[in-house]
Amino acid sequence: MKVFQHVSDIGDLNVALKEAFEIKNDRFKYQELGRNKTALLIFFNNSLRTRLSTQKAAMNLGMNVIVLDVNQGAWKLETERGVIMDGDKSEHLLEAIPVMGCYCDLIGVRSFATFQNRKDDYEEKILNQFIKYSGKPVFFMESATVHPLQAFADLITIEEYKKKDRPKVVLSWAPHPKALPQAVPNSFAEWMNAADVDFVVTHPHGYELDPQFVGNARVEYDQMKAFEGADFIYAKNWSCPGVTNPDDYGKVLLKDMNWTVDQRHMDVTDNAYFMHCLPVRRNMIVTDDVIEAPTSLVIPEAANREISATVVLKRMLQAL
């Protein structure tokens, strides 16, 4: 595996899940695989779970780890071609990337959507430059449009806690005070479509996810109807994806608190588990009683980030 971006990159999901549970039972089984190998983790944006879990995964495999926070201690990087660099950006990404590649064996990159240009974001201009110019395998630690390490961890969690062979999984939009990317819901939708689940997406009008990610999922604009009989509720905010109106891309179209996941919503489910990628805005996305209930999986879900990252890094090391 040279690039980890989409669910298709992981191959057979049943095989990947089997490997995940094997690693969960013995996290250091493959610790010799990464001996004298180095993972470079590059962060253009803040991180807690992704940074810690990926660093821990690399160490599980015996790797050395270099963490670069681009916005603290590094030269400011220019990302556009043809720019006269007479401002505050001292180095171009086209020189920085191959230099970074000299010091490592694998590269993980985290770079959020800018919301300045939908086309640029959805073409993944930053991450694709790393793929093209680094000369090293690249894995996405959240990009403008996807967060596959999170989605893989979500699938592992659902597989662990499901009570029926084909559970009903609902991805629900929820209000948030800021404009957030679509990366988490995009990847969650992509991975759920590939898994053996009954998948439903619910959101207000205007928040339609890009068709390449929502796929064949059933879209329901009535949130309470979508929740009926659900086994897992995955709440997440996202800003307008701009599918129907590109001018609205990245905008917050509404903050309807009726979409906040509370006990009234959970009561119509089949005693569903609650999921969220974290960090979460309490009493915006979800009420205190729901996230603190025994059916809340937000901590086990976060813990599984280490497992998903270990599987991905293991496979990339094996392909070197």
Side-chain angles (χ1 to χ4, degrees):
M1 185 164 59
K2 298 295 186 183
V3 175
F4 180 64
Q5 177 179 6
H6 296 294
V7 65
S8 56
D9 297 321
I10 205 72
D12 188 309
L13 281 183
N14 290 325
V15 174
L17 286 169
K18 182 179 179 181
E19 196 170 335
F21 290 117
E22 175 195 27
I23 284 172
K24 192 160 187 175
N25 287 330
D26 183 357
R27 292 161 203 248
F28 305 104
K29 183 176 182 179
Y30 299 98
Q31 63 181 338
E32 292 300 315
L33 193 60
R35 180 184 291 274
N36 297 327
K37 302 293 185 184
T38 300
L40 173 59
L41 311 182
I42 304 167
F43 293 88
F44 288 84
N45 300 96
N46 294 338
S47 176
L48 189 151
R49 276 149 296 276
T50 298
R51 180 176 298 206
L52 297 180
S53 63
T54 311
Q55 195 165 352
K56 178 63 164 62
M59 291 189 294
N60 290 350
L61 295 166
M63 299 189 76
N64 302 310
V65 183
I66 302 172
V67 178
L68 175 63
D69 189 332
V70 172
N71 297 314
Q72 294 184 14
W75 298 113
K76 288 189 176 182
L77 296 175
E78 178 57 64
T79 61
E80 297 297 324
R81 300 182 80 104
V83 173
I84 297 174
M85 293 175 57
D86 60 353
D88 64 345
K89 295 178 180 178
S90 305
E91 185 161 11
H92 202 287
L93 205 59
L94 293 178
E95 285 78 59
I97 289 173
V99 168
M100 294 175 191
C102 294
Y103 307 138
C104 65
D105 299 281
L106 306 178
I107 297 180
V109 185
R110 182 177 178 93
S111 179
F112 292 172
T114 65
F115 295 141
Q116 295 175 7
N117 184 305
R118 187 184 193 279
K119 183 174 181 291
D120 285 351
D121 282 346
Y122 272 73
E123 287 180 354
E124 295 288 6
K125 290 183 68 175
I126 301 296
L127 273 292
N128 280 328
Q129 288 185 72
F130 277 91
I131 294 170
K132 186 174 181 179
Y133 299 114
S134 70
K136 298 297 164 70
V138 175
F139 57 97
F140 286 43
M141 299 193 299
E142 188 168 1
S143 69
T145 65
V146 292
H147 198 349
L149 288 171
Q150 178 66 54
F152 188 14
D154 296 334
L155 178 60
I156 293 168
T157 307
I158 289 170
E159 187 68 17
E160 278 186 297
Y161 286 87
K162 69 181 185 181
K163 299 174 183 176
K164 60 185 69 165
D165 289 340
R166 195 168 188 269
K168 180 179 179 181
V169 179
V170 179
L171 169 63
S172 177
W173 180 92
H176 195 281
K178 296 172 58 180
L180 298 186
Q182 297 100 46
V184 169
N186 281 346
S187 278
F188 186 76
E190 183 181 51
W191 284 67
M192 290 303 107
N193 277 318
D196 188 17
V197 301
D198 176 14
F199 183 48
V200 180
V201 181
T202 183
H203 53 72
H205 288 279
Y207 282 91
E208 291 78 11
L209 295 172
D210 192 292
Q212 66 176 306
F213 297 109
V214 75
N216 296 320
R218 177 161 60 91
V219 177
E220 175 57 66
Y221 293 97
D222 184 331
Q223 188 187 29
M224 292 298 287
K225 183 176 179 181
F227 275 41
E228 290 177 359
D231 299 291
F232 293 89
I233 299 297
Y234 196 107
K236 183 70 179 78
N237 175 266
W238 61 90
S239 61
C240 176
V243 173
T244 55
N245 185 356
D247 291 338
D248 286 337
Y249 173 61
K251 292 182 179 178
V252 176
L253 302 181
L254 74 161
K255 298 178 185 177
D256 188 350
M257 297 293 286
N258 290 317
W259 284 78
T260 300
V261 177
D262 57 15
Q263 194 57 51
R264 175 178 64 94
H265 289 85
M266 299 300 287
D267 283 344
V268 304
T269 71
D270 188 8
N271 195 31
Y273 290 107
F274 175 82
M275 301 179 69
H276 187 279
C277 61
L278 301 180
V280 65
R281 299 276 186 138
R282 284 181 175 231
N283 302 307
M284 287 285 299
I285 299 289
V286 58
T287 55
D288 289 333
D289 54 341
V290 171
I291 197 171
E292 293 175 7
T295 48
S296 173
L297 297 181
V298 295
I299 305 304
E301 184 182 357
N304 278 332
R305 291 293 307 278
E306 176 190 346
I307 307 305
S308 65
T310 305
V311 173
V312 169
L313 293 178
K314 169 184 171 288
R315 290 190 172 196
M316 298 190 106
L317 285 169
Q318 290 173 327
L320 289 177

